[in-house]
Amino acid sequence: MFARVSAMPMEKKLLLARALKPRAKTFRDAARPIGFLLVADDGVLFDPAAVEKNLKASIATTGPSGSGASTTGLALLRGLRGVLEASANFEPANGAAMEAEISAYAESQGVKLGSAAQALRVAMTGTGVSPALGDSLALLGKNSVLARLDRALTL
């Protein structure tokens, strides 16, 4: 099960350790939040409540007119896919830069970063829980991120 982590380059293992250190006191504590790394991209199990809340439910947007428009997490993911496909920040040292790209996209869509981040987190992990989002994306790598996004967009 941990073969995928064992096969990671050392810089990704160090990133994983830094991401988990504040949250985990034991190996058991660490295993749960990294479970998404241990499954194949097509093997992520989606929590129905997380999908409903973060991907399908309406999210209020703030437009210049304050018209009360809305979007969904799935709509945000469609746009984020292009942002992430174009991103050059999938290296372990660039988690903060990747989060800044996500934040800029969220702002351009008139939603809070948390709404876009949670939609992306559910697409990556199947739940609303993971280490820092930029770190999680860097640990997965661009190909896995795009594959998981494509799968989530079919929900």
Side-chain angles (χ1 to χ4, degrees), residues 58-94:
S58 182
I59 301 167
T61 61
T62 56
S65 63
S67 62
S70 66
T71 189
T72 65
L74 286 170
L76 292 173
L77 289 180
R78 285 184 198 95
L80 278 168
R81 192 191 190 291
V83 170
L84 294 172
E85 188 170 28
S87 178
N89 289 316
F90 276 91
E91 296 302 316
N94 294 341

Side-chain angles (χ1 to χ4, degrees), residues 59-63 71 75-76 79-80 103-112:
I59 301 167
T61 61
T62 56
T71 189
L76 292 173
L80 278 168
S103 180
Y105 175 77
E107 185 177 324
S108 77
Q109 299 304 300
V111 299
K112 295 179 181 177

Side-chain angles (χ1 to χ4, degrees), residues 2 13 17 55 60-61 73 76 78 80 83 93 99 106 113-114 120 123:
F2 288 97
K13 288 178 188 172
L55 299 184
T61 61
L76 292 173
R78 285 184 198 95
L80 278 168
V83 170
E99 287 183 22
L113 171 60
L120 194 50

Side-chain angles (χ1 to χ4, degrees), residues 46 49-51 53-56 59 72-74 76-77 80 102 106 111-133 149 152:
F46 292 95
V51 168
K53 179 180 179 182
N54 298 293
L55 299 184
K56 295 184 176 181
I59 301 167
T72 65
L74 286 170
L76 292 173
L77 289 180
L80 278 168
I102 296 164
V111 299
K112 295 179 181 177
L113 171 60
S115 297
Q118 280 303 100
L120 194 50
R121 187 169 277 118
V122 170
M124 296 303 107
T125 69
T127 70
V129 179
S130 74
L133 188 57
L149 267 173

Side-chain angles (χ1 to χ4, degrees), residues 5-18 92 139:
V5 173
S6 294
M8 285 181 180
M10 184 55 73
E11 75 176 358
K12 282 194 175 186
K13 288 178 188 172
L14 291 171
L15 173 63
L16 180 60
R18 281 193 306 271
L139 287 164

